[in-house]
Amino acid sequence: MNVETSGTASDKAGSTRRPERSHRGAMRVAVVYALVAAAWVLLSDVIVERSLAGSSAFAFAQLVKGWGFVVVTALALYALIRGHLTTEDAQSEALAALGQFRASVIDDAAIWINALDDQARITLWNKTAEQISGYTREEVLGNASIWAWLYPDPKYRAEIVAKANTIVSEGREITGLETEIRCKSGEVKVIAWNSRPLIDARAAVTGSITIGRDVTERRRVVLALLERERQLATLMANLPGMAYRSPADRPWQMRFVSSGCLALTGHRPEALTNGAEVQYSALIHPDDHARLLAQVRQAIEAGEPFEFEYRIRRKDGEVLWVWEQGCVVSIDGEPSLEGIVIDINERKRMEGELAFLAARDALTGLYNRREFLLHFGEEVQRAARYDRPLSLLLIDVDHFKSVNDRSGHQIGDEVLKRIGGVLQLEIRKVDYAARYGGEEFVVVLPEMDAAAALDTAERLRGLLAAVSMEDGEGRAFTITVSIGVAAFPADGATPEAMFEAADRAMYAAKNNGRNRVCRAS
């Protein structure tokens, strides 16, 4: 961390006391040496005078005394200088080792390391700091402009400095502080800082040391993940249904459901998660549950994705068609199901309408010819397999062309619709009527023999003859029909044979005067 601060008065006083102690030490050595030398001179003179005064050896003794002083002084000086040189060698070795440590550990470290003195001057700027910032050691050492270079925005720089000043002023450590610096190249990088004060032997703060890590890429990845999560949350919130996750061995025991489940099921996500209030499986329609479970298990065993349509019962009781698609995924080593469930109720309604329209005659609402042929063939097969009775009525409107010619096609369409309405209203639920084409209608009568079919045909003929219609000018008229009856298997053992028999009977009714019922013969 880059700190801008100044040293305290006690720090300055401490720096001036160090040369004073050195001066006093040197004075003490000089005084001791002077005292020892004086004592040597005085004592040696006294001893020589008392012992050899007036003797011929006096001069020789004086000579020995002088040279002895020189020798002793030389030995003392040798010992003093040798000790001093030994200390200097040791200090030099220590400094060399410290320099090697700095070069190998600090300068070559893979993280940014810088140090400040108590005057906020940079005293250390390693190679990684150079590489990250782009500024060399020579550019930043003792140069206060580095802070403006790294933090060009004054307001932002003031915020950083305010936090960093607490290192020196309060002796606090700063960890995990992320700042954006502007490198020499102009590139903006994100650095995570850990900084602590430098303490000397007297527990005084002499500066700070800082370690920085370039987390620009990590920040980019984190921001990208956050953006992805935001987009995913937005997507989940706008799904036309709900996304889910559940254990593979317990399908629909939801571990996660998206917020869309409220609109889909009427239950809050919290209610479905882990079955807090209701299990999703309890919402599945009973008629669909076993089939779905078998399909899911089959897909899990095959390791394949699955999709199917089924019904659920919402919280308000409404039955809803949904479409589910999912697959098996591995979450933390555990197989899970992930998928989406979408509301397809409107699609199903439209499909139902299309299916109805595809099977029905647009004018009368009865089955159309295609649907009649399909169902009639199935009814003949069932009657043959189980030896059950089956009858067919073929109805034709008498003089229908004259109705169209006299009153117009609109009135003719009304006639056909009235006939269709009577047939739908008067036949049994197991029976079904169809418009075969033009003015021809057919009625299929399952489980009905020839005699009962003749009675039904006669009843229908009478009901239709009683219908009163009006032409375009308000004139009343009635309609009549001719009906041919065929029974299985007496009149035909196949759909084609039965229809041909009923057709012959219908033409026989027309040839015999119309407005009557005839049995195939």
Side-chain angles (χ1 to χ4, degrees):
M1 178 57 53
N2 309 315
V3 183
E4 295 183 13
T5 185
S6 59
T8 62
S10 61
D11 297 334
K12 294 178 180 179
S15 64
T16 60
R17 283 196 293 267
R18 288 192 289 271
E20 291 178 2
R21 290 198 301 271
S22 300
H23 176 70
R24 287 197 298 270
M27 287 294 294
R28 283 196 295 270
V29 172
V31 170
V32 170
Y33 177 77
L35 290 175
V36 171
W40 171 273
V41 172
L42 292 175
L43 289 176
S44 61
D45 285 346
V46 171
I47 293 171
V48 169
E49 285 181 3
R50 288 184 180 179
S51 303
L52 303 173
S55 170
S56 58
F58 179 76
F60 178 76
Q62 287 286 16
L63 180 62
V64 171
K65 181 191 70 167
W67 280 107
F69 179 75
V70 172
V71 170
V72 172
T73 301
L75 290 175
L77 184 60
Y78 167 77
L80 181 63
I81 293 174
R82 186 176 185 277
H84 179 70
L85 292 176
T86 301
T87 302
E88 284 189 347
D89 290 343
Q91 290 176 344
S92 297
E93 291 177 1
L95 288 174
L98 181 61
Q100 184 179 4
F101 172 79
R102 171 177 172 172
S104 62
V105 176
I106 297 179
D107 280 353
D108 296 334
I111 55 176
W112 175 320
I113 301 177
N114 71 264
L116 304 176
D117 63 12
D118 55 4
Q119 299 296 316
R121 294 183 296 252
I122 291 180
T123 59
L124 175 64
W125 190 264
N126 74 344
K127 293 178 181 177
T128 302
E130 291 181 326
Q131 294 168 359
I132 294 176
S133 69
Y135 295 104
T136 65
R137 182 182 292 114
E138 290 73 19
E139 290 178 291
V140 302
L141 289 179
N143 189 349
S145 299
I146 183 61
W147 318 128
W149 296 345
L150 296 178
Y151 303 107
D153 180 19
K155 184 177 180 180
Y156 185 51
R157 184 167 68 249
E159 293 176 1
I160 301 303
V161 168
K163 293 178 181 179
N165 277 339
T166 59
I167 301 171
V168 175
S169 62
E170 301 178 17
R172 293 176 55 185
E173 292 188 15
I174 293 180
T175 58
L177 175 64
E178 293 188 2
T179 69
E180 292 184 355
I181 67 167
R182 185 176 297 278
C183 302
K184 189 174 183 179
S185 64
E187 180 183 3
V188 175
K189 293 184 177 180
V190 181
I191 309 298
W193 303 103
N194 291 329
S195 189
R196 63 181 302 171
L198 286 174
I199 311 296
D200 65 9
R202 300 181 313 283
V205 178
T206 61
S208 65
I209 186 165
T210 300
I211 294 175
R213 290 180 295 110
D214 184 354
V215 295
T216 307
E217 180 63 18
R218 188 192 71 181
R219 171 76 71 86
R220 186 194 65 78
V221 171
V222 169
L223 291 178
L225 288 174
L226 290 175
E227 176 62 17
R228 182 175 178 273
E229 289 180 1
R230 186 194 66 78
Q231 293 176 352
L232 185 60
T234 301
L235 178 63
M236 291 292 187
N238 289 278
L239 274 177
M242 75 173 188
Y244 72 86
R245 176 186 296 160
S246 68
D249 58 345
R250 296 186 300 280
W252 305 306
Q253 185 174 333
M254 304 304 190
R255 295 284 177 81
F256 162 80
V257 290
S258 66
S259 58
C261 80
L262 179 61
L264 183 72
T265 68
H267 295 278
R268 296 175 295 106
E270 299 82 5
L272 287 176
T273 303
N274 294 318
E277 296 179 13
V278 61
Q279 294 284 3
Y280 181 78
S281 57
L283 307 182
I284 299 174
H285 196 283
D287 294 344
D288 299 334
H289 194 279
R291 170 179 61 85
L292 295 183
L293 188 58
Q295 289 177 336
V296 170
R297 287 176 174 169
Q298 182 179 359
I300 293 173
E301 292 175 0
E304 298 176 345
F306 58 86
E307 61 174 290
F308 33 69
E309 299 174 357
Y310 58 95
R311 292 160 293 175
I312 63 170
R313 189 174 298 278
R314 288 172 38 87
K315 187 177 182 179
D316 59 10
E318 179 189 1
V319 175
L320 197 71
W321 275 98
V322 296
W323 173 80
E324 179 177 345
Q325 182 181 52
C327 62
V328 181
V329 297
S330 179
I331 306 295
D332 297 330
E334 294 291 332
S336 300
L337 294 181
E338 285 189 347
I340 56 174
V341 182
I342 294 177
D343 178 359
I344 59 168
N345 211 50
E346 180 63 18
R347 194 198 82 190
K348 278 291 186 179
R349 185 190 65 78
M350 294 179 64
E351 287 179 354
E353 290 182 358
L354 290 174
F356 178 86
L357 294 174
R360 300 282 175 167
D361 174 60
L363 180 64
T364 64
L366 300 177
Y367 283 115
N368 57 27
R369 179 173 179 168
R370 171 184 170 277
E371 200 70 13
F372 157 70
L373 293 174
L374 176 65
H375 286 291
F376 184 51
E378 293 173 350
E379 288 294 343
V380 172
Q381 291 179 1
R382 189 184 69 83
R385 182 181 304 114
Y386 299 106
D387 192 21
R388 303 301 300 171
L390 173 66
S391 295
L392 175 67
L393 308 183
L394 181 56
I395 304 171
D396 186 83
V397 181
D398 296 333
H399 303 296
F400 184 71
K401 184 177 183 301
S402 64
V403 172
N404 281 334
D405 292 342
R406 183 177 64 251
S407 303
H409 288 281
Q410 186 174 0
I411 298 300
D413 288 347
E414 288 297 322
V415 170
L416 296 177
K417 287 194 287 186
R418 292 290 294 274
I419 293 174
V422 170
L423 294 179
Q424 284 182 320
L425 183 65
E426 297 298 331
I427 61 177
R428 301 171 303 170
K429 289 184 177 181
V430 296
D431 305 333
Y432 56 90
R435 182 185 177 193
Y436 190 76
E439 68 272 24
E440 290 185 331
F441 297 85
V442 290
V443 178
V444 179
L445 304 170
E447 301 291 330
M448 186 177 291
D449 58 18
L454 286 170
D455 291 340
T456 299
E458 186 60 41
R459 181 172 61 84
L460 291 175
R461 185 202 61 77
L463 290 170
L464 292 172
V467 173
S468 178
M469 301 286 298
E470 289 185 357
D471 61 16
E473 297 178 357
R475 296 189 297 267
F477 69 94
T478 59
I479 54 175
T480 61
V481 296
S482 299
I483 304 176
V485 179
F488 175 88
D491 302 323
T494 66
E496 295 79 9
M498 284 191 68
F499 188 85
E500 289 176 2
D503 188 56
R504 290 194 304 272
M506 183 267 294
Y507 275 104
K510 284 185 174 292
N511 293 331
N512 290 326
R514 295 184 173 85
N515 191 23
R516 67 188 60 241
V517 175
C518 285
R519 162 81 189 276
S521 58

